[in-house]
């Protein structure tokens, strides 16, 4: 277990050339969370769906903990791949009951797939 990245270690990590500017993360996550919350309110009538929303949030938080607190970029990548799979399942499960709720999660899935590519490249660049 590492003693975490900390801000100075994070800033000193080698990042791929396609790494977006830092301000974009705040904008993207604000939009994603608003869409996510609205999607959850649309799907909240379906009890089985609520569990996958909670699993999704757990994985999202666990990625942050793995990457930033533990500084374990490999574990963070595994968590992120798990989150990608959960999101695909979540969208598929919701699609049949609530098309809008499932479509609202597509930007989140795209962002998480992009984050997976970023995470992977950061891992490779910082070996």
């Amino acid at each position: 277990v590492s003693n975490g990245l900390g801000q100075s270690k994070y800033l000193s990590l080698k990042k791929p050339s396609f790494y977006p500017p830092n301000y974009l993360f705040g904008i993207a996550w604000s939009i994603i969370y608003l869409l996510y919350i609205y999607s959850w309110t649309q799907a909240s009538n379906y009890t089985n769906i609520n569990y996958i929303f909670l699993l999704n949030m757990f994985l999202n938080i666990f990625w942050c903990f793995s990457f930033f607190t533990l500084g374990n970029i490999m574990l963070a990548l595994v968590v992120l791949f798990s989150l990608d799979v959960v999101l695909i399942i979540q969208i598929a499960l919701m699609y049949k009951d609530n098309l809008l709720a499932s479509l609202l999660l597509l930007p989140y899935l795209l962002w998480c797939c992009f984050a997976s590519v970023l995470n992977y490249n950061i891992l490779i660049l910082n070996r």
Side-chain angles (χ1 to χ4, degrees), residues 11-69:
L11 293 174
S12 69
L13 285 175
K14 294 176 192 167
K15 297 176 184 80
S17 60
F18 57 88
Y19 191 86
N22 287 333
Y23 71 86
L24 188 59
F25 289 94
I27 294 168
W29 279 112
S30 296
I31 293 167
I32 287 166
Y33 280 134
L34 287 172
L35 294 174
Y36 189 81
I37 290 167
Y38 188 73
S39 176
W40 197 344
T41 64
Q42 296 303 299
S44 63
N45 297 333
Y46 314 105
T47 310
N48 60 333
I49 298 291
N50 284 319
Y51 295 113
I52 201 160
F53 272 92
L54 292 172
L55 175 60
N56 180 303
M57 281 292 94
F58 169 78
L59 289 170
N60 193 309
I61 292 166
F62 191 58
W63 177 86
C64 293
F65 178 76
S66 302
F67 192 91
F68 294 109
T69 304

Side-chain angles (χ1 to χ4, degrees), residues 57-90:
M57 281 292 94
F58 169 78
L59 289 170
N60 193 309
I61 292 166
F62 191 58
W63 177 86
C64 293
F65 178 76
S66 302
F67 192 91
F68 294 109
T69 304
L70 297 179
N72 190 330
I73 300 171
M74 178 58 124
L75 175 61
L77 182 60
V78 170
V79 171
L80 201 44
F81 282 148
S82 300
L83 179 57
D84 294 340
V85 170
V86 165
L87 263 168
I88 291 167
I89 293 168
Q90 188 173 5

